[in-house]
Amino acid sequence: MARVLIIGAGGVGTVVAKKVAMNHDTFTDIMLASRTKSKCDKIAKEIEESLGVKIQTASIDADKVPELVALFKEFKPELVINVALPYQDLTIMDACLETGVNYLDTANYEPIDEAKYQYSWQWAYQDRFKQAGLTAILGCGFDPGVTSVFTAYAAKHHFDEIHYLDIVDCNGGDHHKAFATNFNPEINIREITQKGKYYENGEWIETEPQEIHRPLHYPGIGVRESYLLYHEELESLVKNFPTLKRARFWMTFGEEYLTHLRVIQNIGMDSIEPINYNGMEIVPIQFLKAVLPNPQDLGNDYTGETSIGCRIRGVKNGEEHTYYIWNNCSHQAAFRETGTQGVSYTTGVPATVGAMMFFKGLWRKPGVFNVEEFDPDPFLEELAKQGLPWHEHLDVDIEFEK
Ligand code: NDP
């Protein structure tokens, strides 16, 4: 019996629910719960029609611990996959502790009134999960997630010490909209408009948003302008791989996207401060989310591929080596399989594979862990089988590694 509860029925939740149902031999009892139950019911209906698998659904406000506790006591999951929003991480972890349930998520906690990404809040649960004998798996999407496992795999198989890490994230796809975000617009815009930051020689160096950028070549896609951003996996990777001298994260953006973003910022629509409008309190970025295209609806017309990977330089047997490991994912192929675009797919598939690792007993130990702290081999083997094959290249002439 492997009972799994998925919380969140957005783009990522859709992929997780479908992939979990496709692996019904591992996940015997499945529930999908979210704020809007009708979204769960729609996904459940699609799953029953296409796969013949019945999943249960429920309505839940995951900001409320007592509601979560009541649902956990009723369904009795062994594992909760949290693919709601980062704001709900701590309440779900609290409910897990209260009811003896294990935990997995894809994004680190962020307070709703402060765009601040750090693991400290969730790492503070380490002793309580350990004492309760429960496992918490943090950041099991693509980035964070697969990029962290790629790094662990490189460290295990190809290097004695890794010194330089560049995580490179390219969306070479086209959704044919003037402006849209590929996952939750509020979370996405909060992430991109914050200051950039990277790690070098034991220090964090801050940059202005999009200050550092350069053209990079992505396999199967070509050259794309790539911007240095702060991304949450850098925090845990420099802690877990202390030989790192430098760690950076790069993401591609088109000119059209950045122009829209500049306008949004200039007119204050990215603000997370509540304002009074006609006697009603609204948060500009939440209003903006309501008028932007829903990332879940982009799949139909989405062409092209994503390409995300790690470029690493380090030493093995006293000699310097370079290494590149990556996955390319086609938006169309993701849509054909799950009805969602590639960004939801590349997040939902690793979350499903992480849950499989948990139920197989391979990623299971008391405490709170980032994914690079588990054995990367069985995860990467399963990831390729579940739709995200990856490639590696040793001693490539990696750009900008110096
Ligand atoms: P969506 O906005 O599409 O979906 C979020 C879902 O969570 C919605 O169904 C929403 O319900 C539900 N939800 C929000 N608040 C609550 C609440 N209080 N209680 C219950 N349910 C709630 O987001 P995505 O699917 O695009 O993203 C999901 C998560 O995945 C996010 O945390 C995101 O940061 C993360 N992510 C991680 C990536 C990675 O590579 N690691 C990449 C992309 C995303 P409703 O429909 O009612 O609004």
Side-chain angles (χ1 to χ4, degrees):
M1 289 281 279
R3 297 177 73 81
V4 66
L5 171 63
I6 304 155
I7 302 184
V12 180
T14 303
V15 175
V16 174
K18 291 187 176 176
K19 292 301 280 192
V20 157
M22 284 175 203
N23 290 281
H24 197 30
D25 49 341
T26 303
F27 304 100
T28 53
D29 296 87
I30 307 161
M31 179 184 266
L32 175 62
S34 194
R35 188 164 51 189
T36 313
K37 185 170 174 287
S38 56
K39 291 191 184 175
C40 305
D41 291 336
K42 181 172 171 282
I43 299 166
K45 189 164 171 270
E46 284 169 15
I47 290 174
E48 191 170 353
E49 283 169 3
S50 59
L51 302 167
V53 175
K54 271 189 196 288
I55 72 166
Q56 297 182 52
T57 60
S59 136
I60 185 75
D61 181 350
D63 289 321
K64 301 199 171 91
V65 178
E67 264 195 43
L68 288 162
V69 167
L71 183 68
F72 292 6
K73 283 186 174 164
E74 186 199 321
F75 181 64
K76 298 189 176 51
E78 206 175 331
L79 176 74
V80 167
I81 302 179
N82 168 18
V83 281
L85 298 179
Y87 317 134
Q88 281 85 48
D89 289 4
L90 301 188
T91 44
I92 298 177
M93 289 177 86
D94 284 333
C96 282
L97 284 171
E98 209 171 316
T99 51
V101 175
N102 300 281
Y103 175 87
L104 180 148
D105 70 25
T106 66
N108 71 9
Y109 174 70
E110 189 190 332
I112 195 158
D113 53 358
E114 206 183 344
K116 209 169 175 186
Y117 308 82
Q118 58 190 46
Y119 277 113
S120 58
W121 287 287
Q122 290 181 277
W123 285 342
Y125 282 66
Q126 168 70 356
D127 289 346
R128 279 171 285 163
F129 268 76
K130 204 169 183 174
Q131 274 155 21
L134 295 171
T135 304
I137 302 171
L138 306 184
C140 197
F142 208 102
D143 41 350
V146 176
T147 51
S148 325
V149 179
F150 279 167
T151 306
Y153 185 83
K156 180 175 173 182
H157 295 286
H158 299 294
F159 294 99
D160 296 326
E161 285 189 4
I162 58 173
H163 290 164
Y164 298 94
L165 167 68
D166 283 295
I167 299 172
V168 289
D169 178 334
C170 171
N171 185 356
D174 185 357
H175 46 51
H176 302 101
K177 300 257 189 278
F179 182 82
T181 63
N182 295 295
F183 64 97
N184 185 289
E186 187 185 335
I187 306 294
N188 188 217
I189 291 171
R190 279 167 73 125
E191 177 178 271
I192 290 161
T193 52
Q194 66 169 333
K195 290 203 171 195
K197 197 164 71 168
Y198 65 99
Y199 178 85
E200 189 158 42
N201 297 327
E203 280 177 38
W204 289 100
I205 296 155
E206 206 170 75
T207 72
E208 288 307 311
Q210 292 103 44
E211 181 188 334
I212 300 180
H213 54 100
R214 57 189 60 168
L216 295 178
H217 183 270
Y218 295 88
I221 292 174
V223 175
R224 291 284 187 279
E225 198 63 18
S226 308
Y227 295 79
L228 187 144
L229 290 187
Y230 177 64
H231 224 240
E232 62 198 57
E233 65 265 49
L234 295 179
E235 185 187 6
S236 68
L237 287 170
V238 301
K239 174 172 164 263
N240 290 318
F241 298 97
T243 58
L244 276 170
K245 297 179 201 283
R246 189 181 63 205
R248 303 181 293 194
F249 183 96
W250 305 82
M251 191 178 270
T252 60
F253 299 110
E255 257 317 303
E256 185 77 357
Y257 181 94
L258 290 176
T259 305
H260 277 80
L261 198 65
R262 254 193 310 277
V263 174
I264 286 168
Q265 283 180 284
N266 287 342
I267 61 174
M269 282 306 293
D270 66 326
S271 171
I272 61 174
E273 295 298 327
I275 56 156
N276 192 294
Y277 176 73
N278 276 354
M280 191 197 290
E281 194 173 83
I282 62 165
V283 177
I285 198 169
Q286 288 176 3
F287 179 76
L288 178 67
K289 173 185 185 280
V291 295
L292 284 176
N294 181 349
Q296 258 176 286
D297 300 334
L298 298 175
N300 194 20
D301 207 17
Y302 220 135
T303 51
E305 292 185 353
T306 62
S307 178
I308 315 176
C310 296
R311 298 177 182 185
I312 295 171
R313 189 158 59 102
V315 288
K316 176 96 178 169
N317 301 327
E319 276 183 26
E320 194 164 272
H321 291 279
T322 57
Y323 178 72
Y324 184 20
I325 178 166
W326 75 95
N327 159 265
N328 274 30
C329 175
S330 146
H331 288 289
Q332 282 292 302
F335 184 72
R336 275 195 302 275
E337 190 187 332
T338 59
T340 60
Q341 35 85 359
V343 176
S344 303
Y345 188 86
T346 53
T347 310
V349 172
T352 308
V353 173
M356 292 173 97
M357 294 298 107
F358 169 80
F359 280 112
K360 287 181 179 169
L362 298 167
W363 281 23
R364 196 173 200 157
K365 50 187 179 181
V368 172
F369 302 98
N370 293 90
V371 290
E372 66 270 20
E373 295 176 82
F374 295 101
D375 185 359
D377 295 2
F379 179 95
L380 288 184
E381 194 186 324
E382 190 63 42
L383 189 74
K385 288 187 202 155
Q386 294 295 334
L388 294 176
W390 45 277
H391 317 275
E392 57 181 336
H393 206 148
L394 196 57
D395 290 327
V396 276
D397 190 12
I398 296 179
E399 303 152 287
F400 72 88
E401 80 268 23
K402 299 277 183 201

